[in-house]
Amino acid sequence: MGPILCIGEVLWDALPAGLFAGGAPFNVACHLRQLGAEVAFASRVGDDELGRELRRRLQRNGLRDDLLQCDPRLPTGFVVVDMTDPQAPRYEIVAPAAWDAIEATAALRAAAESSAALVFGSLAQRDARSRATIRALCASPARKVFDINLRPPYDSRAIVEESLGLAQIVKLNDEELDRLRNWFDLPAGAREAMHALAARFGLEALCVTRGGAGALALQN
């Protein structure tokens, strides 16, 4: 079995307490590595100090950096987080950023072909360049894991719907499930909505996180 390939945004979150390395695919990769999984991570940073520090963070977390591309023009990803309401943070996701232009290099295509699973999200598909790369990698035999991450204004129904059609496993939170309920006329109950979503898109498994209330999982 090959490694798990996580692809998408890597960035700095600017919080009141300081700058923190983040991005959903980066966090997933770090957590999987902590659990002992073999992981590869693919993204793109700028040719700047923030990008170089992200490369060092990858290495510190035991992750390979050979699939971390360097963009000569676009800056490293940056997000300003407004914590005025701690229960509902607001995100200003700077655009464009280097992770908008991830290229489907020969090395990245080879990594996808040899991977056991490909983890990708919705936010990294806001730009046509990275979206095309992710779609190209989804042609690989790896099991596709779609991690929905709706951040207005980057919350396109069309991108989510197409990605659901590519995936076998999906992760989302309870607020995102509410959005999908409205988009796809899913039933009112969380479990019922999960069953309907899995049936509509032929999903093998589905996980809904619920903050302090835990999580719900469905496996077909």
Side-chain angles (χ1 to χ4, degrees):
M1 180 180 294
I4 300 169
L5 174 59
C6 301
I7 182 171
E9 67 275 11
V10 63
L11 46 84
W12 291 98
D13 286 316
L15 294 158
L19 295 182
F20 295 86
F26 171 76
N27 292 332
V28 169
C30 290
H31 292 150
L32 286 171
R33 190 69 193 93
Q34 290 170 1
L35 292 170
E38 185 182 358
V39 186
F41 177 71
S43 188
R44 194 173 179 95
V45 297
D47 185 13
D48 48 36
E49 187 53 37
L50 289 178
R52 287 184 281 275
E53 180 57 28
L54 281 175
R55 189 176 297 277
R56 290 190 285 267
R57 295 294 177 97
L58 275 183
Q59 295 167 348
R60 271 182 231 156
N61 282 279
L63 293 166
R64 298 161 36 190
D65 68 350
D66 55 312
L67 298 177
L68 185 62
Q69 301 170 9
C70 182
D71 195 290
R73 294 175 298 277
L74 294 174
T76 296
F78 199 83
V79 177
V80 179
V81 185
D82 181 350
M83 297 295 293
T84 303
D85 180 358
Q87 302 304 315
R90 300 176 64 183
Y91 303 89
E92 180 190 346
I93 307 172
V94 177
W99 55 264
D100 286 316
I102 303 171
E103 296 180 356
T105 62
L108 184 50
R109 288 176 181 271
E113 287 294 322
S114 62
S115 294
L118 173 66
V119 181
F120 68 100
S122 53
L123 180 56
Q125 298 185 69
R126 70 178 184 175
D127 188 283
R129 292 166 292 182
S130 288
R131 183 163 66 249
T133 293
I134 290 171
R135 299 296 165 84
L137 300 186
C138 281
S140 75
R143 177 171 273 104
K144 278 53 135 198
V145 182
F146 179 39
D147 184 359
I148 300 176
N149 189 13
L150 300 181
R151 292 282 185 265
Y154 310 115
D155 50 357
S156 162
R157 170 178 172 166
I159 288 174
V160 170
E161 187 166 9
E162 187 168 350
S163 298
L164 286 167
L166 296 170
Q168 288 81 48
I169 301 171
V170 171
K171 179 265 174 190
L172 69 166
N173 63 34
D174 49 1
E175 292 181 358
E176 290 159 348
L177 182 61
D178 285 339
R179 292 289 301 279
L180 268 62
R181 181 182 286 113
N182 293 329
W183 286 348
F184 304 126
D185 295 321
L186 304 176
R191 289 177 175 81
E192 293 79 7
M194 292 169 67
H195 279 284
L197 187 65
R200 175 167 180 155
F201 292 99
L203 304 175
E204 296 176 5
L206 182 65
C207 177
V208 177
T209 57
R210 308 169 75 193
L216 293 173
L218 170 68
Q219 184 170 5
N220 288 326

